[in-house]
Amino acid sequence: MANETKTHWKKLQHPDYIGAYELMDGTPNKELTVTITKVAREQITGADGKKEECTVCYLHGQKPMILNSTNQKVMQKLFDSPYIEDWAGKKMTLYVARVKASGDTVDALRVRPTAPKLPELTPTHEKWQGAMTALKAGNTTIDAIRKNYILSSENEKLLTA
């Protein structure tokens, strides 16, 4: 059963925030590219009922992520801004790293220090027709498409023809 999906035991506890275990389904070196919707300072309640002020990063289509200082420093460099308001709409890739914490080695959710690789938009891509329609209707621009896709000059000509 090479394609068997596995369930990490921490997923069964139904946490409100994304953690390293979300990427641990038995697939080696699994990564997740996400888009930030907003980042804010909030009071959260931990599994032990303790309340704490944390920086929370909201992700499109995912659970929110509590940001530690390590990930915030990576995000500042990645997005070329120390201001959390500038991070909304940005993409980043999450991965699992083994780190030392409290004298133990644990799995931690980390932000890759490089921009995620964008998919290429080609005539065979499932979003091609939608992009073409949105361009013709004036609902998007080539620049907006380039924020989410790699677009060759040949394919740009096809889209705008």
Side-chain angles (χ1 to χ4, degrees):
M1 282 200 230
N3 291 335
E4 178 183 352
T5 300
K6 297 180 180 180
T7 304
H8 195 286
W9 65 270
K10 285 187 176 182
K11 273 189 171 181
L12 301 176
Q13 296 180 340
H14 302 291
D16 295 330
Y17 301 93
I18 194 170
Y21 49 84
E22 298 285 346
L23 301 182
M24 299 172 75
D25 63 2
T27 306
N29 304 316
K30 186 171 181 181
E31 295 184 340
L32 179 65
T33 297
V34 295
T35 303
I36 300 168
T37 56
K38 75 173 184 174
V39 179
R41 191 81 177 152
E42 298 179 1
Q43 187 173 57
I44 64 156
T45 304
D48 59 359
K50 184 176 154 189
K51 294 187 183 296
E52 183 179 358
E53 276 290 311
C54 292
T55 303
V56 180
C57 182
Y58 287 86
L59 309 170
H60 180 73
Q62 300 291 329
K63 294 178 192 176
M65 175 182 177
I66 297 171
L67 295 177
N68 60 18
S69 60
T70 299
N71 284 334
Q72 289 178 76
K73 288 174 188 175
V74 170
M75 292 165 72
Q76 174 182 333
K77 289 178 185 171
L78 179 62
F79 305 139
D80 198 29
S81 174
Y83 305 108
I84 63 172
E85 295 82 5
D86 293 343
W87 300 351
K90 304 286 189 195
K91 292 183 184 302
M92 63 185 177
T93 302
L94 304 177
Y95 71 102
V96 178
R98 299 285 291 161
V99 301
K100 290 216 181 268
S102 304
D104 214 353
T105 300
V106 298
D107 296 310
L109 192 61
R110 291 288 187 247
V111 175
R112 284 244 177 259
T114 53
K117 185 172 174 5
L118 297 175
E120 186 170 3
L121 186 61
T122 64
T124 58
H125 192 284
E126 64 182 18
K127 300 285 186 175
W128 178 266
Q129 193 59 46
M132 218 166 161
T133 303
L135 271 170
K136 286 184 178 160
N139 296 331
T140 194
T141 64
I142 288 293
D143 286 338
I145 291 171
R146 285 190 181 281
K147 287 182 181 179
N148 294 302
Y149 298 97
I150 295 170
L151 189 61
S152 70
S153 56
E154 296 83 27
N155 286 333
E156 181 176 332
K157 287 175 190 169
L158 287 174
L159 267 180
T160 56

